[in-house]
Amino acid sequence: MAPTAKLSLLLILAMAMLSARADHHKETNMVVYFQDYVGVPNATGIPFADIPGKLWTFISFGTVYCTDDPLTEGIDRDSAPVGRGQGLYVTSALDGSSLLVLVSILFTNKKYKGSTLQIQGTSRIFEKYREVSVVSGTGKFRFARGYATFETVLVDSANGYSVIQCNITVRSG
Ligand SMILES: *[C@@H]1O[C@H](CO)[C@@H](O)[C@H](O)[C@H]1NC(C)=O
Ligand SMILES: *[C@@H]1O[C@H](CO)[C@@H](O)[C@H](O)[C@H]1NC(C)=O
């Protein structure tokens, strides 16, 4: 084979390998609902630290919440369970406008049982849609990367209850 023919064959092979690798990335889209209870006896989100002398609220700089919310398939709290959203929220803006969100999604549903996704990002709490990043995952989500949006879709302040819709888009594999 002539050297130029060899070279172009190599190029074609390399390009085929690159595109095969790109195709291999699988995109997963899902919607889950965080069932959140705050300030009630059976709360799933509880502030446990703050700067002395300041209020312990979502909009007070330095407040740290621990959370373990049930995640469901639908907005209804009695809809099928998907897993748990466990982690921390820290009011990280001096003016109280954003939270640092560090949440692990632990799947318990049939499709992803035992797998996790790691959410980390800034949630601008006064915006309708809050976009955060999905930095990694385990199990079926090894090497996952992507983003998630949060939108509060139900608020029942009398019962400290709210539901947050979370749309997740990740690529993995
Ligand atoms: C907390 O209690 C209320 C009232 O009994 C109930 O509706 C709600 O489902 C409970 N939340 C959790 C997370 O158990
Ligand atoms: C999240 O997904 C739902 C259902 O597909 C859609 O109605 C909603 O607009 C999405 N929200 C965002 C912020 O993309």
Side-chain angles (χ1 to χ4, degrees), residues 34 67 85-89 101-105 117-120:
F34 283 66
T67 188
Q86 300 176 343
L88 300 173
Y89 302 114
V101 176
L102 298 167
V103 168
S104 304
I105 295 192
L117 279 174
Q118 302 302 322
I119 290 180
Q120 177 185 326

Side-chain angles (χ1 to χ4, degrees), residues 22-55:
D23 288 342
H24 189 61
H25 283 285
K26 187 163 63 88
E27 185 165 301
T28 307
N29 293 285
M30 68 176 102
V31 181
V32 300
Y33 293 83
F34 283 66
Q35 304 285 336
D36 195 44
Y37 300 84
V38 172
V40 286
N42 59 357
T44 61
I46 300 171
F48 68 93
D50 200 340
I51 292 164
K54 297 194 88 178
L55 287 174

Side-chain angles (χ1 to χ4, degrees), residues 144-161:
R145 261 169 187 280
Y147 62 94
T149 55
F150 291 121
E151 180 188 357
T152 306
V153 288
L154 188 154
V155 177
D156 171 4
S157 15
N159 293 303
Y161 174 55

